[in-house]
Amino acid sequence: MITLESSFDDAGAISLLTNEGTSEKITVTNTQGTNAAAIGLIATAGGVDVNAGTTLTVDSATTTDFRVGTAAVIAAGTTMYVSGAGGAKFGDDVATW
């Protein structure tokens, strides 16, 4: 087991950074874990912030599940696309096509 731990009370306590060119990539791979949380991000007291310069893609072989405790805001700068094989459910509303 490998543990990376910081006891430094600072906003940048742990940082992974590349800075050598446009082909840079950081990859985290779990090759054999089959648990639903095979790779997990946990923020016990704060949030998780994901920012992408171009595209944010979430792919799942089976189910993609987003759970929100109180309210969810999805804002698209221009157009938002939602599609499903047989339709899409939005709370009590159902859209089919």
Side-chain angles (χ1 to χ4, degrees), residues 64 76 82:
T64 302
V82 177

Side-chain angles (χ1 to χ4, degrees), residues 62 81-90 94-97:
T62 56
Y81 299 94
V82 177
S83 63
K89 294 182 180 179
F90 303 93
V94 177
T96 58
W97 43 85

Side-chain angles (χ1 to χ4, degrees), residues 33-95:
T34 59
N35 184 288
I39 296 177
L41 297 175
I42 300 170
T44 302
V48 175
D49 185 16
V50 178
N51 297 296
T54 57
T55 303
L56 174 63
T57 303
V58 177
D59 293 324
S60 175
T62 56
T63 301
T64 302
D65 187 5
F66 295 97
R67 296 174 186 252
V68 178
T70 54
V73 176
I74 300 173
T78 56
T79 304
M80 182 176 73
Y81 299 94
V82 177
S83 63
K89 294 182 180 179
F90 303 93
D92 295 334
D93 300 322
V94 177

Side-chain angles (χ1 to χ4, degrees), residues 3-15:
T3 300
L4 173 63
E5 180 177 333
S6 171
S7 59
F8 187 60
D9 185 12
D10 185 74
I14 296 176
S15 176

